[in-house]
Amino acid sequence: MIDNKKVLVVIPARGGSKGLPGKNIKPLLGKPLVAWPISAALSSKYVDQIVVSTDDELIAEAAKAAGATVPFMRPKHLAADSSPSSDAILHALSFCEKESKYDYIVLLEATSPLTETEDIDRALLLLHESEHTAIVGISLVEDSHPEFCVKTLPSGKIEKYFGGDFETPKRRQDIDDAYCFDGSLYISDVETYKNKKNFYHGNTMGYLSDSWKRYEVDTLIDFLFIETILKNIELVRR
């Protein structure tokens, strides 16, 4: 709880991954991928309940072993490739509200194992102390700033993505910072999420996380990259 307001964490983790088959239970430093966000949430001083929404028995077993609850199996119509994630989140919220009322909902992705407990707690506190109704993780764009992006024309010629010429290039120190949604965490006031069915809207604020936390597991390359970060985590934090 945070000031007597209850916090529900939902971790969607369906089976049937195509980019990296079985990724949600693939061992990462000896721990299934889905167990990483569960561990981060378990150590939070504000989180009241951690629910994993899955349609896969093996993922359910791994989630329960890691300390989460799996009070239902996600219906097949909410676990297809084309199923909106918002439907699965609202389904989980509706199920959990049969037992208790929640004020904040936190979405953590099994594919974002670099999110830490301190990120969850800081973001919750920031949102709670603000006038906003949602907060999402963002990271500084350092290697692909829009100012340095181009698009190709049918002729094969390139032009600057947002217009302008190449004759007067801007120095990196002369351009405004740009940020990207990093998938590290999503938090919303429950009633707002029910109405908007989205974490992104006109009253959403950003939680700036360390840029290395934005990496997500979609492919084997991603998995190996994140594994390397975790093996050298003390060096990375410096």
Side-chain angles (χ1 to χ4, degrees), residues 207-219:
Y207 171 75
L208 183 59
S209 58
D210 296 318
S211 59
W212 54 270
K213 293 181 180 179
R214 73 179 186 269
Y215 296 107
E216 300 177 74
V217 178
D218 289 315
T219 66

Side-chain angles (χ1 to χ4, degrees), residues 123-134:
L124 273 166
L125 192 60
L126 275 173
L127 178 61
H128 182 66
E129 292 181 343
S130 77
E131 296 181 354
H132 299 86
T133 53

Side-chain angles (χ1 to χ4, degrees), residues 85-140:
S85 59
S86 58
D87 287 353
I89 296 167
L90 288 168
H91 172 263
L93 179 58
S94 176
F95 191 97
C96 293
E97 285 191 325
K98 294 175 183 177
E99 299 293 331
S100 179
K101 180 183 180 297
Y102 291 93
D103 301 282
Y104 291 114
I105 184 165
V106 180
L107 170 65
L108 298 179
E109 301 278 11
T111 50
S112 295
L114 299 175
T115 302
E116 299 181 297
T117 301
E118 65 180 30
D119 298 309
I120 300 169
D121 286 354
R122 285 177 184 172
L124 273 166
L125 192 60
L126 275 173
L127 178 61
H128 182 66
E129 292 181 343
S130 77
E131 296 181 354
H132 299 86
T133 53
I135 186 169
V136 298
I138 59 173
S139 294
L140 181 67

Side-chain angles (χ1 to χ4, degrees), residues 2-129:
I2 179 167
D3 280 350
N4 292 318
K5 292 194 171 185
K6 294 192 72 173
V7 178
L8 172 68
V9 170
V10 176
I11 302 173
R14 68 182 184 89
S17 170
K18 293 180 173 62
L20 182 59
K23 68 181 178 183
N24 285 321
I25 54 173
K26 186 175 176 62
L28 176 60
L29 299 192
K31 188 161 67 174
L33 192 62
V34 71
W36 286 84
I38 293 171
S39 294
L42 281 171
S43 297
S44 167
K45 58 188 174 183
Y46 300 130
V47 170
D48 297 284
Q49 175 79 311
I50 305 165
V51 169
V52 171
S53 171
T54 185
D55 60 325
D56 186 284
E57 292 288 353
L58 292 178
I59 294 174
E61 290 175 11
K64 286 186 273 191
T69 59
V70 186
F72 57 83
M73 295 302 291
R74 195 193 307 182
K76 289 186 177 180
H77 71 278
L78 297 179
D81 290 342
S82 59
S83 302
S85 59
S86 58
D87 287 353
I89 296 167
L90 288 168
H91 172 263
L93 179 58
S94 176
F95 191 97
C96 293
E97 285 191 325
K98 294 175 183 177
E99 299 293 331
S100 179
K101 180 183 180 297
Y102 291 93
D103 301 282
Y104 291 114
I105 184 165
V106 180
L107 170 65
L108 298 179
E109 301 278 11
T111 50
S112 295
L114 299 175
T115 302
E116 299 181 297
T117 301
E118 65 180 30
D119 298 309
I120 300 169
D121 286 354
R122 285 177 184 172
L124 273 166
L125 192 60
L126 275 173
L127 178 61
H128 182 66
E129 292 181 343

